[in-house]
Amino acid sequence: GENVEQHPSTLSVQEGDSAVIKCTYSDSASNYFPWYKQELGKRPQLIIDIRSNVGEKKDQRIAVTLNKTAKHFSLHITETQPEDSAVYFCAASKRDSSYKLIFGSGTRLLVRP
Amino acid sequence: DVKVTQSSRYLVKRTGEKVFLECVQDMDHENMFWYRQDPGLGLRLIYFSYDVKMKEKGDIPEGYSVSREKKERFSLILESASTNQTSMYLCATEDRGPYEQYFGPGTRLTVT
């Protein structure tokens, strides 16, 4: 079945530096790729998503890139701040034919002040 | 603002007990989901429902069942709780089209 691998499992950066989290997916029919952020003790929340007809999407300090040929997508956070510290999950889905989201295992990001 | 609530934040049950976890949403969303979250494993889909009385198995349905009698309510049932079902359980809802999933606060279930 569909599988999503996420790396690294933990990431520590200095405040102001950039952070990159990478995911690979197995099903080439996947066409929707969201990213969720889960702060400590809170529920996951969508921060950005991308569809397979787009190569890159930006929203202020966060961006997501998608390489369909290689079947991987990445989350980029620039000018990191302490409030970016959280667990980030990538996911993949074959929208329009399935409601299922397959999540990666998560990346714990720590931004050191 | 989407509101998704779960019946308990913390629950402690004994092995063999029948356990009910309930999720209620107030946004008239069609799709509802139950996940379990374990460290290093991400969120794994147990069951989902795309309409009242409709359900489909997710990736780890064994030992669980679900019920959706009303659109706003989706229940997860552990027929006979076991210690390996100790986990954080998250409910989510989704409106068809935007695809964003809205999560509940979670229920941390401990089975002893």
Side-chain angles (χ1 to χ4, degrees):
Chain A
E2 169 76 279
N3 184 48
V4 175
E5 292 191 3
Q6 183 171 348
H7 300 280
S9 57
T10 59
L11 180 59
S12 180
V13 300
Q14 196 70 39
E15 182 178 357
D17 287 351
S18 296
V20 180
I21 303 170
K22 298 181 180 181
C23 290
T24 58
Y25 59 98
S26 59
D27 191 336
S28 56
S30 294
N31 56 15
Y32 174 67
F33 307 92
W35 287 87
Y36 284 79
K37 174 184 180 182
Q38 186 177 29
E39 296 176 17
L40 190 63
K42 297 192 175 178
R43 64 193 79 189
Q45 289 190 295
L46 179 73
I47 54 171
I48 195 167
D49 58 11
I50 192 168
R51 297 171 203 277
S52 59
N53 58 348
V54 174
E56 183 175 0
K57 185 176 178 181
K58 275 187 177 180
D59 183 3
Q60 299 183 339
R61 294 186 297 107
I62 60 172
V64 57
T65 58
L66 171 65
N67 183 328
K68 285 169 55 180
T69 305
K71 291 190 286 187
H72 68 69
F73 56 112
S74 301
L75 178 72
H76 304 253
I77 307 174
T78 58
E79 299 172 21
T80 53
Q81 299 168 4
E83 52 265 38
D84 294 328
S85 295
V87 178
Y88 292 81
F89 294 98
C90 64
S93 174
K94 291 183 285 190
R95 300 316 313 222
D96 304 322
S97 64
S98 172
Y99 299 118
K100 285 177 61 174
L101 266 182
I102 308 297
F103 282 88
S105 54
T107 296
R108 184 172 299 278
L109 173 65
L110 174 64
V111 180
R112 306 185 305 274
Chain B
D1 232 13
V2 177
K3 194 170 181 184
V4 184
T5 58
Q6 294 183 227
S7 48
S8 306
R9 290 301 302 271
Y10 300 93
L11 209 52
V12 179
K13 295 291 182 180
R14 292 192 181 274
T15 302
E17 279 193 83
K18 191 168 186 176
V19 182
F20 294 87
L21 303 181
E22 194 166 72
C23 176
V24 179
Q25 53 113 347
D26 68 352
M27 285 302 292
D28 203 35
H29 284 177
E30 305 284 345
N31 302 336
M32 297 187 75
F33 305 81
W34 275 108
Y35 295 93
R36 64 176 281 176
Q37 182 176 15
D38 300 288
L41 296 177
L43 287 81
R44 293 181 292 165
L45 182 64
I46 305 171
Y47 266 98
F48 66 102
S49 168
Y50 51 90
D51 205 346
V52 175
K53 297 192 187 294
M54 304 302 287
K55 58 187 179 185
E56 281 201 27
K57 292 180 180 178
D59 300 312
I60 51 165
E62 297 78 18
Y64 304 94
S65 62
V66 289
S67 172
R68 193 167 180 200
E69 296 296 319
K70 292 185 178 181
K71 190 174 185 179
E72 67 271 18
R73 199 176 296 265
F74 191 34
S75 301
L76 179 69
I77 303 151
L78 287 67
E79 296 290 341
S80 177
S82 63
T83 54
N84 62 12
Q85 292 179 310
T86 290
S87 187
M88 171 68 84
Y89 290 87
L90 287 164
C91 170
T93 75
E94 177 192 86
D95 201 6
R96 290 180 189 170
Y99 306 150
E100 177 174 357
Q101 292 196 5
Y102 296 87
F103 285 84
T107 296
R108 185 166 294 283
L109 172 67
T110 302
V111 183
T112 62

